[in-house]
Amino acid sequence: MSPVPDIESVKKEISTAILDSPEALESFRLKYLSRKGIITEMLAGIGKAEPGDRARLGKELNALKKTADSIFKNAQKELASSLGKQIRATDDPTLPPPPFPAGSLHPLSRTLDEIKSIFFQMGFTVADGPELEDDFHNFTALNFPAEHPARDMQDTFFVRKNEHRPEEDLVLRTHTSPVQIRLMKQQQPPLRAIMPGRVYRNESITAKSYCLFHQVEGLYVDRHVSLADLKHTLITFAGHLFGSDLKYRIRPSFFPFTEPSLEMDIWWQTGNRSGQWMEILGAGMVHPNVLKSVEIDPETWTGYAFGMGVERITMSRYEIDDIRLLYDNDLRFLDQFP
Ligand code: DAH
């Protein structure tokens, strides 16, 4: 015969049992209250106890059985009523469903979608390229001189750096301009495409700069493409995105891959704040060295290119004053763009 458990420890067990499911309830019943249960067996064992102890044992065991019974019955009642509630709440198909929070497009996606649709109307297609670039596409083919500061570790994330053979360097692309090179290697002119994507810069993170952001590159190569074509495209684009009463200016600038180069600013004024010029893009006529690097004859073909920052445009349109908000994924921010 198995050793008889003592009354105190059984009492403790039953009063701490967790009876939160029909299965737990049933195993409690089997273990303590059924015909082969512990308490029943203990009661049956009274006859083997010392005659002087029998009366006291019987009393204590009957009390134990009563306690177990009432624990069982109470738990049974509670479980039935909570299951009943669950069934009632889910069983009525005419009740309105619980609220279902719908997502919405991120402000960056909205700006990007709009930029794309404006260029689609002007006959541009879309191309893309890898975010991990080699030295040739990110720098050399774009006419960057060997000692250009962008090739510095301070500005660029190098994934592989070879001091002696820079042509083997691998970088996280610092701009979308390398996609121009890939496109011109794949397709003969005439070609006209925009190239949206992520770019990376090794900059300190502040309200104005982040280690990654988005650009939309543009490229048009054909016979007789002129600076006037470029200006017309940029002005039409900005008018669509910011409204036709937009005030803009176009300034001369410098990029290794365009000649001449320019930048476009728009006059930005919100609410009753004083306005300011804000640079939205760089552009220019594709440098003959760039065309040569992809074996396109610059005597036959000319082209223009441009590149714009999507974060900057988004921040001005939605009056967002900290670029990090665009990357935090804080619902309190995102909920403001339903
Ligand atoms: N790649 C330049 C940048 O990241 C932007 C740019 C300027 C792109 C002029 C162009 C261009 O295509 O023609 O700052």
Side-chain angles (χ1 to χ4, degrees):
M1 200 177 111
S2 57
V4 184
D6 75 294
I7 295 176
E8 277 315 307
S9 64
V10 175
K11 211 188 225 167
K12 210 160 160 194
E13 262 177 50
I14 59 172
S15 58
T16 53
I18 295 170
L19 304 175
D20 58 356
S21 66
E23 294 75 26
L25 212 57
E26 178 59 7
S27 65
F28 181 95
R29 191 190 66 80
L30 284 174
K31 184 165 176 193
Y32 300 105
L33 299 171
S34 66
R35 271 203 310 138
K36 292 201 167 152
I38 292 173
I39 298 176
T40 323
E41 282 191 354
M42 285 164 94
L43 278 165
I46 289 180
K48 291 185 192 126
E50 293 291 316
D53 286 343
R54 287 179 195 165
R56 182 186 53 81
L57 259 179
K59 235 178 168 175
E60 283 180 14
L61 281 172
N62 275 323
L64 182 67
K65 188 167 190 312
K66 249 188 173 160
T67 310
D69 260 339
S70 80
I71 287 174
F72 177 78
K73 289 209 171 98
N74 281 339
Q76 201 176 32
K77 235 194 263 165
E78 258 175 49
L79 196 64
S81 86
S82 83
L83 285 178
K85 265 184 216 138
Q86 280 172 28
I87 288 164
R88 270 196 299 282
T90 53
D91 237 21
D92 181 351
T94 64
L95 287 177
F100 183 78
S104 59
L105 284 182
H106 193 277
L108 283 176
S109 306
R110 292 178 189 209
T111 305
L112 203 53
D113 286 351
E114 252 178 80
I115 293 173
K116 282 191 208 160
S117 98
I118 296 169
F119 282 109
F120 289 166
Q121 288 171 46
M122 293 196 267
F124 283 75
T125 55
V126 176
D128 66 5
E131 292 178 22
L132 183 62
E133 265 299 5
D134 53 32
D135 175 87
F136 176 76
H137 291 88
N138 198 79
F139 297 124
T140 303
L142 289 163
N143 201 32
F144 278 80
E147 70 287 359
H148 193 281
R151 295 182 176 228
D152 200 327
M153 301 279 246
Q154 252 70 55
D155 297 309
T156 302
F157 287 114
F158 283 85
V159 174
R160 190 170 73 201
K161 178 100 182 125
N162 188 326
E163 291 303 332
H164 307 294
R165 286 199 273 169
E167 66 276 12
E168 291 185 358
D169 288 351
L170 283 182
V171 302
L172 292 180
R173 68 180 177 194
T174 56
H175 52 178
T176 41
S177 304
V179 191
Q180 290 184 32
I181 303 299
R182 292 187 176 272
L183 185 66
M184 289 189 284
K185 282 197 332 196
Q186 274 165 21
Q187 276 177 40
Q188 285 303 305
L191 43 92
R192 179 158 49 180
I194 54 166
M195 294 146 262
R198 272 185 186 207
V199 303
Y200 301 83
R201 301 249 173 113
N202 191 0
E203 286 179 353
S204 49
I205 293 172
T206 67
K208 297 259 167 285
S209 65
Y210 200 62
C211 50
L212 68 93
F213 55 97
H214 294 75
Q215 288 186 333
V216 176
E217 193 79 12
L219 177 70
Y220 177 36
V221 183
D222 204 338
R223 291 173 209 272
H224 316 299
V225 177
S226 71
L227 191 63
D229 296 324
L230 172 58
K231 278 181 71 178
H232 176 259
T233 304
L234 296 181
I235 293 165
T236 307
F237 161 72
H240 272 91
L241 193 64
F242 294 101
S244 50
D245 52 350
L246 162 84
K247 205 165 116 189
Y248 67 88
R249 70 181 183 190
I250 288 175
R251 294 178 285 109
S253 183
F254 175 81
F255 300 101
F257 34 93
T258 44
E259 181 58 37
S261 303
L262 57 88
E263 276 173 320
M264 185 178 198
D265 302 334
I266 60 162
W267 182 253
W268 194 251
Q269 190 158 22
T270 50
N272 44 17
R273 269 187 248 165
S274 59
Q276 55 181 341
W277 287 110
M278 187 182 66
E279 180 213 315
I280 57 161
L281 57 82
M285 301 306 292
V286 180
H287 197 292
N289 287 351
V290 173
L291 296 174
K292 280 184 212 156
S293 77
V294 288
E295 282 152 32
I296 291 178
D297 180 7
E299 299 297 325
T300 312
W301 305 99
T302 49
Y304 66 64
F306 55 83
M308 66 187 76
V310 182
E311 275 70 2
R312 195 169 255 240
I313 294 174
T314 305
M315 288 169 72
S316 70
R317 297 172 82 215
Y318 296 112
E319 296 180 40
I320 298 165
D321 56 10
D322 191 325
I323 191 170
R324 291 167 290 196
L325 288 168
L326 294 169
Y327 288 94
D328 284 346
N329 283 334
D330 186 331
L331 281 180
R332 290 168 300 180
F333 171 75
L334 297 175
D335 278 347
Q336 294 174 48
F337 303 89

